[in-house]
Amino acid sequence: MGVGRPVKRVGAAVLGGVLVVVGVVLLVLPGPGLLLVLAGLVVLASEFPALKKFVEPVRKRAMKAAEDSVSSPLRIAGSVVAGLALIAAGVVWGLVKSLPFGGWSAGSSLILSGLILFALLIWSYRRVQARREDRVR
């Protein structure tokens, strides 16, 4: 009966910690680093209330970065090119086994990063458009 709470706490700590670490790594690699850091903090804060004070500043920064990514046609074009490059690199990595870490495990993660980039780009664009429409009204 008393085992469920500690298991949930450990699970949240592991999941949140992994999301934060992967997010920090993706801050310098292609991927949605800040959003993963935010997701990790939200998971950790659900079990460790002392971390709640970090969620809002990271959320604001992540939302600002998302909006900045679609602030001009040049940035949108750059993001599209980056997404296509990630997907193309993933296909190449999947097919050419002689590359470092060659194979579909590395290739599929690159393809997934490109698809996530496109999903976040679309989400950011819609969010910015909705805010602009609200300001006009």
Side-chain angles (χ1 to χ4, degrees):
M1 185 164 126
V3 175
R5 181 77 177 142
V7 170
K8 182 181 177 197
R9 193 171 176 96
V10 168
V14 169
L15 177 62
V18 167
L19 287 171
V20 168
V21 168
V22 170
V24 168
V25 169
L26 289 178
L27 288 173
V28 294
L29 296 174
L34 206 49
L35 290 172
L36 282 177
V37 170
L38 175 62
L41 282 175
V42 168
V43 170
L44 288 169
S46 71
E47 290 298 318
F48 304 97
L51 296 175
K52 286 185 180 181
K53 65 183 177 186
F54 298 108
V55 172
E56 190 58 25
V58 172
R59 187 193 67 75
K60 284 181 182 177
R61 184 119 166 132
M63 294 305 121
K64 172 105 173 76
E67 290 175 8
D68 288 349
S69 70
V70 294
S71 63
S72 73
L74 185 60
R75 285 188 179 201
I76 294 170
S79 295
V80 168
V81 168
L84 291 172
L86 282 169
I87 292 170
V91 171
V92 169
W93 245 267
L95 295 174
V96 180
K97 306 288 187 216
S98 61
L99 289 171
F101 306 106
W104 285 109
S105 59
S108 63
S109 66
L110 287 168
I111 292 169
L112 182 61
S113 292
L115 295 175
I116 290 171
L117 189 149
F118 285 134
L120 290 173
L121 185 63
I122 291 166
W123 176 80
S124 298
Y125 184 78
R126 286 183 176 173
R127 178 182 161 96
V128 168
Q129 292 300 348
R131 289 180 117 187
R132 285 180 184 159
E133 289 174 10
D134 287 344
R135 279 189 231 143
V136 170
R137 292 182 208 169

